């Protein structure tokens, strides 16, 4: 009987310990989401808070408390970009009744580099292939030295990188607080047209033709041929635009990452991004990140082929083929990306 009582007491202690651990984790999540995910942009306490490996400063400290004069002017530029995001988030919060807490599933776009204490939110059609290559070099422990030696398809294999949603809640919280978090953005409509050109006008993207093209043709093309219904290989930009703004598309679930908004992919009103790079100043901003990480002398961001990129004039040409109503609907869809990242309303946009 005595032995049974002892066993019950021991089990009771274990249950209390488990309950305390779970409650502690829950409180940690609540505390983090209330404090870290709010858009508070000015921070310089990391010099005291973050302990760096081998006595050196990490990228986060170097960003907020630069020791090199070359970093000072860049720090001012990026503070302005953070302020723009913060202002847009405050306005969005004031105008929206919706409140949500991020889950680990919302963090699947955040690539983690443990060695250099970096977190990168990848945005398709904003040099993300080259950034993934660079992250593979940074995290590869000497396996790679030149990003451009890594085939593009290999850069997109999920197992080649580690993502924030693969960590425990406590580990996620620690990294979001202690690592430098950055993303790269692009003029929203240029990014949209770039995605359309890449996924619907190139023959080798047959998987996108079958997955999305056939659905778009079936829904929005009158008298479609059997071939078009079968392979979906000739989607027009007008049809693609109609698909994006159709409420039925929203009911189908989240947009594909290639044309989903940055706001939905990276959650900048919930996650404090320390650095917002821009596609328009890609090499300058990317190499600034690498210098902050202490690898600027050994690693440079790959240059890209400007001759093939989607330009403003090219985007204007595509938008000339859709209606004024679609102009307005697309602008509403991507409005937060325009405001948050300080992109002007395009001159070609017809908002009647």
């Amino acid at each position: 009987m005595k032995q049974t009582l002892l066993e019950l007491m021991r089990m009771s202690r274990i249950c209390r310990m488990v309950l305390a651990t779970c409650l502690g984790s829950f409180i940690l999540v609540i505390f983090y989401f209330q404090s870290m995910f709010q858009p508070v942009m000015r921070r310089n306490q990391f010099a005291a808070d973050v302990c760096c490996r081998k006595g050196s400063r990490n990228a986060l400290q170097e960003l907020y408390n630069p020791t090199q004069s070359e970093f000072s002017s860049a720090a001012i530029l990026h503070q302005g970009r953070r302020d723009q995001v913060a202002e847009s988030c405050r306005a969005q919060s004031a105008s929206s009744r919706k409140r949500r807490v991020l889950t680990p599933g919302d963090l699947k776009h955040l690539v983690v580099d443990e060695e250099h204490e970096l977190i990168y939110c990848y945005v398709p059609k904003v040099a993300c292939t080259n950034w993934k290559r660079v992250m593979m070099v940074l995290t590869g422990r000497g396996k790679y030295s030149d990003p451009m030696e890594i085939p593009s398809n290999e850069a997109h294999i999920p197992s080649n990188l580690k993502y924030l949603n693969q960590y425990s809640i406590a580990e996620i919280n620690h990294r979001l607080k202690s690592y430098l978090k950055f993303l790269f953005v692009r003029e929203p409509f240029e990014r949209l047209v770039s995605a359309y050109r890449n996924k619907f006008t190139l023959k080798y993207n047959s998987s996108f033709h079958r997955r999305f093209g056939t659905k778009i043709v079936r829904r929005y093309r009158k008298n479609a041929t059997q071939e078009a219904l079968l392979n979906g290989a000739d989607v027009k930009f007008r049809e693609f635009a109609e698909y994006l703004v159709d409420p039925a598309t929203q009911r189908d679930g989240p947009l594909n990452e290639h044309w989903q908004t940055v706001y939905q992919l990276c959650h900048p009103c919930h996650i404090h991004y320390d650095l917002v790079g821009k596609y328009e100043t890609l090499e300058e901003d990317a190499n600034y990140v690498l210098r902050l990480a202490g690898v600027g002398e050994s690693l440079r961001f790959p240059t890209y082929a400007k001759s093939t990129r989607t330009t403003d004039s090219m985007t204007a040409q595509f938008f000339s083929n859709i209606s004024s109503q679609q102009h307005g609907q697309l602008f509403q869809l991507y409005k937060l990306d325009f405001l948050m990242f300080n992109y002007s309303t395009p001159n070609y946009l017809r908002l009647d």
Side-chain angles (χ1 to χ4, degrees), residues 174-190:
H174 168 70
R175 282 155 183 77
L176 285 173
K177 181 178 180 181
S178 305
Y179 289 14
L180 184 143
K181 300 165 294 298
F182 69 98
L183 76 163
F184 274 71
V185 299
R186 183 178 185 177
E187 201 279 342
F189 287 161
E190 283 189 20

Side-chain angles (χ1 to χ4, degrees), residues 46-47 52 55-75 288 291-294:
F46 292 100
C52 300
S56 64
R57 291 162 58 84
N58 71 355
L60 195 60
Q61 290 173 309
E62 199 60 60
L63 173 66
Y64 287 100
N65 299 276
T67 57
Q68 301 181 44
S69 58
E70 65 173 305
F71 290 161
S72 298
S73 59
Y288 175 57
R291 291 198 304 274
L292 289 172

